[in-house]
Amino acid sequence: MGDAVIETRDLTKRYGTFTAVNKLNLVVRQGEVFGLLGPNGAGKTTTTLMLLGLTEPTSGSVRVLGLDPARQPLRVKARVGYMPDQVGFYDEMTARENLTYIARLNGLPGGEIDGRVTRALERVGLEGVANKRVGTFSRGMRQRLGLADVLVKQPELIIMDEPTSGLDPEASHEFLKMIQGLKEEGISILLSSHLLYQVQAVCDRVGLFNQGRMVLEGPVTDLARKVLGGAYRVHVDVEGEKSAIMEALKRLPRVHAVRAMDTTRYEVEADDDIRPEVAKAVIEAGGRLLGLGAQAQSLDDIYTAYFKKEVEHDRSQLAAVG
Amino acid sequence: MTEASLQRSVKVRRQAAAQVRQREGSPWTGMGAVILKEMADHLSSTRMFILEVLILLAALGTVYSATGQLQQTVSKDPFLYLRLFTSAMSPLPSFVSLLAFFIPLVAIALMFDAVNGEFNRRTMSRVLAQPIYRDGLLLGKYLAGLFTLALVCTAIWLLIFGLGILRLGVTPGGEEVARALLFLLATIFYGGVWLALALVFSVVFRQPATAALAAIAAWLFFTVFWGMIAGGLAQALAPVQIGLPQEILARANTELMLSRLSPNTLYAEAMVTMLQPEVRSLGLLLPTQLEGAILGAPLPLMQSLALSWPQFTGLAAGSILLFALAYVLFQRQEIRA
């Protein structure tokens, strides 16, 4: 892991009495894909705007590529690409014209602009429609054009706000693959999203954001261990005496919990992928094994579990007070 | 605290203050790109095309009928070409009165969706994520509007001169051209005020339709109502109680000052002094001030310019003030709704 490309310290933004971002401490390192996750209105967009100097923080400090975005916005914005939520284009202009305008705003030398725009369009597979008006583009094409728009300036860091929202599953899959490709080129990426299962696939680390606070941070598997106990779930489909099977499963090493889902299905929570051990245990206990599957914890589970805990915690506190 | 440490702490604090205040980089970065793009948009838009056709028709119609009339008096008039702009032949009004009517409309059409349009198309955050300050974006948009307007006005101005040469068969004199050029300049300044006003509305209102309507309402207010309101206000501020000449004079002067708050009045006055050299005062003239004057004799150009200099600067100042207002409002705006 290299140096920090983004570093915030106690970053706070208040609108009147409403606190959008509360004492955020965030570090994104060189070459990393960091996912900022949280429900709508959690303060993700406000954070991204502060990173670009488009909104001034109320207090705290921000460093992006070692620069202060509030005081050196031009230098920051020349090196950082930003793809806003539901990116907009000039509909009456062609894709190429839209990108050329952005290239000019970046002060790129006139001779280089054409080549860079063409390469960016090829990169996202839009070279065939380069001279079509953007008004005719589909949602997925616009999103890809948004990525091309960011790539024109050859950024070191890309900040994306909800890059896959509103895309159909195929288009978002494609899009995530492109993000993966950028990561392989060594571009650092910060992406914010509320679609957890998609983000899980591309992010090295994630931060869970709620009501302006970063409540959890780390690689997905770490978070799973922290919040859910086990990081793996093994689903077993087995016929046989229930108590004996439950007993056998619980005795296995590295198992945290066993739950019976219905008459034949069980769920085992464990630190590791222990499918072979589970199979063996079930058969030794006299069961007829019908099916076996393992599933890494999804962010959705972590998320739901975390907020359930929060709510319970609040309730117990309230009860203690009452 | 010792003297030295006190000085040091003052110095540190000053440095910190300087760091906090300064932002790096020129505010004009990227402005050229904005101007080019916006002008290309304006010149190719249907909106502008319609307005250009309207103005062109108005210019051709009024000037054609004016030349018809002027052909009778070619030999008698030293300022023939200026009459092209000002003579009206029923049922057509003069070209200048049509222009005073059209210029605000063109300016409003160019600017009413300058800022809110970017928000509505969701392009604002994308553009501002590029290395450009808001200063450059706003001024770029304003200047693009001003250049477009200047281009249109100049084209029509040249067209009128060409038509004049064709129809009248005399070449314009040096002073005529200089006066007509200053008139063109006044027209562009006048347009600048309306551009800046429309720009303010485009920052204030999120809906382009609302901004356009507000700007048109302001235009109607100044065109139709301000004259009456100025009269009423003057009566209230400087009432004529006994009917003394001083009182009547004070009232008339107050009314004149009030009416000059309207860009229309300023433009009309600047235009009249430039195009009618015999105009020697824009306010009231007492008989004593006219002693020794030869009525109907034209003023030299520099005197006419001295007479309308306040009007020129007034129009420029109005543009600058309104632009500054738009700038302050735009700087304070959040990028997302």
Side-chain angles (χ1 to χ4, degrees):
Chain A
M1 284 291 164
D3 303 331
V5 284
I6 297 177
E7 196 173 6
T8 72
R9 197 162 299 146
D10 292 334
L11 186 64
T12 304
K13 176 70 184 181
R14 273 189 285 274
Y15 294 105
T17 56
F18 172 70
T19 307
V21 177
N22 196 353
K23 298 210 166 158
L24 174 70
N25 290 301
L26 171 72
V27 177
V28 178
R29 294 191 200 91
Q30 175 80 50
E32 182 178 43
V33 180
F34 189 92
L36 208 55
L37 307 173
N40 293 325
K44 290 170 294 172
T45 302
T46 309
T47 305
T48 52
L49 291 179
M50 283 193 284
L51 293 177
L52 286 159
L54 294 180
T55 291
E56 273 196 53
T58 311
S59 65
S61 72
V62 194
R63 288 268 144 188
V64 175
L65 301 169
L67 301 165
D68 177 1
R71 299 299 154 211
Q72 302 161 304
L74 297 187
R75 285 169 65 192
V76 169
K77 289 191 284 188
R79 293 164 63 190
V80 178
Y82 175 55
M83 200 173 129
D85 185 12
Q86 302 200 350
V87 55
F89 292 94
Y90 302 105
D91 285 347
E92 66 288 349
M93 285 162 61
T94 66
R96 178 177 289 281
E97 284 167 350
N98 264 294
L99 295 201
T100 304
Y101 179 43
I102 292 302
R104 291 232 173 87
L105 284 178
N106 275 286
L108 299 182
E112 254 180 57
I113 290 179
D114 247 14
R116 282 222 206 176
V117 168
T118 307
R119 275 198 299 282
L121 285 169
E122 277 167 2
R123 185 72 204 265
V124 299
L126 287 178
E127 67 273 20
V129 289
N131 296 318
K132 286 236 169 72
R133 290 178 0 153
V134 179
T136 63
F137 280 22
S138 70
R139 182 86 183 81
M141 286 160 87
R142 279 166 176 269
Q143 208 67 11
R144 280 192 280 162
L145 187 58
L147 190 58
D149 179 83
V150 166
L151 292 177
V152 164
K153 66 166 104 162
Q154 299 177 345
E156 295 161 52
L157 165 70
I158 300 180
I159 298 177
M160 300 187 195
D161 201 354
E162 302 278 359
T164 55
S165 75
L167 294 187
D168 59 56
E170 171 125 13
S172 41
H173 182 69
E174 287 261 307
F175 201 83
L176 291 173
K177 259 194 351 212
M178 282 179 206
I179 295 179
Q180 198 77 51
L182 296 176
K183 185 198 161 186
E184 278 153 23
E185 278 176 33
I187 301 174
S188 322
I189 297 171
L190 174 78
L191 61 90
S192 85
S193 182
H194 67 278
L195 299 169
L196 311 175
Y197 64 97
Q198 293 184 339
V199 164
Q200 184 171 14
V202 291
C203 288
D204 299 316
R205 285 193 308 140
V206 293
L208 239 55
F209 223 65
N210 194 41
Q211 295 176 344
R213 284 175 178 279
M214 178 95 90
V215 289
L216 275 177
E217 191 201 333
V220 176
T221 45
D222 279 13
L223 289 193
R225 205 161 286 140
K226 237 187 262 173
V227 178
L228 294 170
Y232 277 88
R233 284 180 192 189
V234 179
H235 290 274
V236 217
D237 216 357
V238 58
E239 270 177 7
E241 201 189 328
K242 199 167 191 170
S243 58
I245 291 167
M246 290 282 279
E247 206 45 47
L249 288 175
K250 275 183 189 156
R251 258 187 317 221
L252 287 173
R254 284 171 295 168
V255 165
H256 292 273
V258 180
R259 275 187 296 275
M261 313 288 280
D262 52 39
T263 49
T264 61
R265 295 201 308 139
Y266 302 86
E267 190 183 74
V268 182
E269 261 185 47
D271 282 338
D272 243 320
D273 187 359
I274 52 161
R275 276 176 292 180
E277 289 86 345
V278 168
K280 200 171 161 221
V282 166
I283 290 163
E284 279 170 0
R288 272 165 32 97
L289 184 59
L290 302 175
L292 187 63
Q295 178 195 20
Q297 304 287 18
S298 82
L299 270 170
D300 277 321
D301 298 334
I302 300 172
Y303 201 67
T304 336
Y306 181 81
F307 286 111
K308 210 163 87 189
K309 264 192 201 165
E310 281 281 283
V311 171
E312 277 164 12
H313 182 68
D314 285 353
R315 271 203 206 120
S316 64
Q317 272 193 333
L318 277 177
V321 172
Chain B
M1 205 182 268
T2 66
E3 182 80 0
S5 79
L6 193 70
Q7 270 180 356
R8 206 179 311 128
S9 87
V10 166
K11 200 174 158 198
V12 166
R13 214 170 293 161
R14 254 189 221 145
Q15 273 173 348
Q19 265 174 3
V20 166
R21 270 187 217 112
Q22 274 167 14
R23 56 173 197 187
E24 273 184 18
S26 154
W28 317 126
T29 317
M31 192 174 78
V34 176
I35 293 180
L36 281 180
K37 187 246 166 201
E38 294 291 324
M39 274 191 79
D41 277 3
H42 288 324
L43 293 174
S44 59
S45 71
T46 328
R47 196 192 294 173
M48 269 311 288
F49 179 73
I50 294 171
L51 286 166
E52 277 160 18
V53 168
L54 270 179
I55 297 188
L56 206 65
L57 281 179
L60 289 179
T62 50
V63 173
Y64 195 81
S65 68
T67 47
Q69 192 185 24
L70 290 173
Q71 275 168 347
Q72 323 297 320
T73 56
V74 165
S75 54
K76 293 173 205 156
D77 201 328
F79 295 106
L80 203 57
Y81 276 84
L82 300 184
R83 307 285 180 252
L84 271 182
F85 294 100
T86 52
S87 12
M89 206 167 94
S90 154
L92 279 177
S94 69
F95 174 67
V96 284
S97 50
L98 270 180
L99 204 60
F101 187 80
F102 271 129
I103 290 292
L105 278 186
V106 177
I108 290 169
L110 283 173
M111 274 294 139
F112 76 91
D113 63 348
V115 172
N116 49 21
E118 297 270 353
F119 277 111
N120 287 335
R121 280 178 293 194
R122 293 176 171 276
T123 44
M124 187 57 95
S125 52
R126 198 168 60 90
V127 168
L128 287 183
Q130 312 310 324
I132 176 175
Y133 278 119
R134 295 189 194 193
D135 313 38
L137 185 66
L138 197 70
L139 191 60
K141 278 178 173 284
Y142 179 75
L143 287 181
L146 197 65
F147 292 162
T148 309
L149 193 80
L151 200 70
V152 172
C153 289
T154 311
I156 289 168
W157 185 89
L158 287 170
L159 206 72
I160 290 174
F161 262 79
L163 201 67
I165 293 174
L166 271 181
R167 296 262 297 162
L168 298 174
V170 286
T171 48
E175 191 179 333
E176 272 180 298
V177 174
R179 280 176 177 274
L181 266 177
L182 282 167
F183 157 69
L184 176 67
L185 197 68
T187 308
I188 293 167
F189 277 26
Y190 175 57
V193 176
W194 289 102
L195 282 171
L197 187 73
L199 188 65
V200 169
F201 285 132
S202 89
V203 174
V204 172
F205 298 109
R206 273 297 155 93
Q207 289 303 321
T210 317
L213 215 60
I216 287 176
W219 167 67
L220 270 180
F221 173 78
F222 281 122
T223 311
V224 179
F225 299 111
W226 185 243
M228 304 177 217
I229 294 173
L233 269 179
Q235 182 59 42
L237 291 173
V240 179
Q241 280 160 335
I242 316 168
L244 291 174
Q246 295 94 307
E247 281 183 337
I248 296 171
L249 190 66
R251 206 201 76 95
N253 275 331
T254 315
E255 185 176 341
L256 197 61
M257 287 320 293
L258 283 173
S259 76
R260 279 177 183 155
L261 291 178
S262 155
N264 298 24
T265 313
L266 292 181
Y267 175 59
E269 289 181 342
M271 185 252 296
V272 135
T273 40
M274 282 305 124
L275 295 183
Q276 297 189 332
E278 41 308 335
V279 169
R280 43 182 63 222
S281 163
L282 292 170
L284 289 176
L285 268 187
L286 296 180
T288 48
Q289 289 169 303
L290 274 176
E291 237 177 55
I294 305 163
L295 284 180
L299 281 184
L301 173 62
M302 287 321 285
Q303 289 306 308
S304 286
L305 190 58
L307 185 61
S308 58
W309 191 250
Q311 274 70 17
F312 276 90
T313 44
L315 285 172
S319 308
I320 293 170
L321 278 180
L322 284 169
F323 181 82
L325 180 65
Y327 176 81
V328 169
L329 292 172
F330 183 50
Q331 288 287 353
R332 285 162 184 266
Q333 224 160 32
E334 285 294 336
I335 289 301
R336 60 174 180 164

